[in-house]
Amino acid sequence: MLLLRSLVFDIAMYGLMVIVGILGAPLALWSVAGAHRTIKAYCAGVFWLLRVICGLRVEVRGEVPAGDVIVASKHQSFLDIIILAHALPRPSFIMKKQLRWAPILGLYALRIGSTPVDRGRRSQAMKEMVAHVETATEPRQLVIYPQGTRVLPGAKLPYKSGAGVLYDRLGKACVPAATNVGVFWSRRGRYRHPGVAVLEFLPPIPPGLPIQEFMRRVEGVVEENSDRLMREAGFDLATAAPGG
């Protein structure tokens, strides 16, 4: 029954993406604000489908950042992207370059100013990422996943330097974000488990720290609080695999 509910949800979620994406395209092309409104409408629809079909509720904790900041978030599944896109007033994302060509998703991601990154060209990708981000003229919440990929619950993957480079170059505060969404909806997992998926915004890290100190602090606070949220959801960290 759980697998059936999960399959029904996935079909409904992608069907909703097509419908909302097409209907909202004129609004999105007209203005960036229209793109944000369309994205938030889609996210709200996904939350409703999750609750009704799968018994999975979404909860956002902490003070939602509204200013011009960096958000360094734990990344466990597509669900944390949806939560951030809905909760933040004007989010944009550091995303892998291939997503530019994803139907509907790529259009809206680029429309809100997301930055495509080629993860296979590390030094060049870093320069291109910083150059693209620095062209932004409107205040926004720039979301980066410091581990660079989705991570299984309890897995320990290294934090990459991109978040530190952006923090140093932009001179902005960084709001860490922890989550337990992978307990209920893991990367490449077929099941959508019932429960409460939480994304929590943590106290901001002020600008001006050395990169190494910043990276140490952001990794410590995101990992510690993500572990806490996963334990709260009933996940046994002792049985987790060390890699993602």
Side-chain angles (χ1 to χ4, degrees):
M1 182 60 72
L2 178 60
L3 178 58
L4 178 60
R5 286 177 178 270
S6 300
L7 289 173
V8 170
F9 165 75
D10 281 356
I11 292 169
M13 178 185 70
Y14 288 111
L16 182 65
M17 181 183 293
V18 172
I19 293 169
V20 174
I22 293 174
L23 292 179
L27 188 62
L29 294 172
W30 179 259
S31 70
V32 174
H36 282 295
R37 283 196 292 271
T38 303
I39 290 169
K40 292 180 190 306
Y42 169 71
C43 295
V46 171
F47 297 155
W48 184 85
L49 291 171
L50 273 176
R51 186 174 66 252
V52 171
I53 298 174
C54 303
L56 177 57
R57 295 189 297 107
V58 168
E59 180 179 329
V60 175
R61 298 180 185 172
E63 183 177 351
V64 179
D68 195 14
V69 298
I70 300 167
V71 176
S73 177
K74 187 76 172 176
H75 187 21
Q76 294 183 332
S77 81
F78 186 42
L79 182 53
D80 53 64
I81 298 176
I82 299 173
I83 296 173
L84 288 166
H86 185 265
L88 296 169
R90 292 182 66 88
S92 65
F93 293 81
I94 304 296
M95 66 182 196
K96 61 182 180 181
K97 201 168 188 177
Q98 296 90 323
L99 288 176
R100 291 183 306 171
W101 312 114
I104 299 175
L105 187 63
L107 166 67
Y108 282 89
L110 293 176
R111 190 70 180 100
I112 63 174
S114 296
T115 302
V117 173
D118 185 351
R119 294 186 297 193
R121 301 164 58 220
R122 300 188 65 176
S123 59
Q124 184 64 28
M126 189 77 72
K127 293 177 183 176
E128 292 175 357
M129 176 184 71
V130 172
H132 185 274
V133 167
E134 288 181 330
T135 63
T137 58
E138 297 291 332
R140 59 179 178 166
Q141 299 81 50
L142 178 64
V143 178
I144 185 168
Y145 296 108
Q147 289 170 298
T149 188
R150 291 171 294 176
V151 180
L152 289 171
K156 300 300 180 184
L157 293 184
Y159 277 52
K160 300 182 178 181
S161 60
V165 171
L166 286 179
Y167 167 83
D168 182 64
R169 287 291 297 270
L170 298 179
K172 298 177 182 178
C174 175
V175 177
T179 190
N180 65 6
V181 299
V183 174
F184 307 98
W185 175 346
S186 66
R187 66 168 193 169
R188 304 189 186 96
R190 293 183 296 171
Y191 296 98
R192 312 292 177 248
H193 298 275
V196 182
V198 179
L199 188 139
E200 183 173 346
F201 294 106
L202 304 165
I205 298 173
L209 295 177
I211 292 180
Q212 288 187 338
E213 172 65 11
F214 166 76
M215 293 301 301
R216 185 189 66 79
R217 285 183 60 174
V218 76
E219 179 174 358
V221 72
V222 170
E223 291 301 302
E224 177 185 349
N225 286 280
S226 292
D227 287 351
R228 169 178 56 81
L229 293 174
M230 287 186 284
R231 286 193 297 268
E232 180 183 302
F235 183 76
D236 184 2
L237 289 165
T239 64

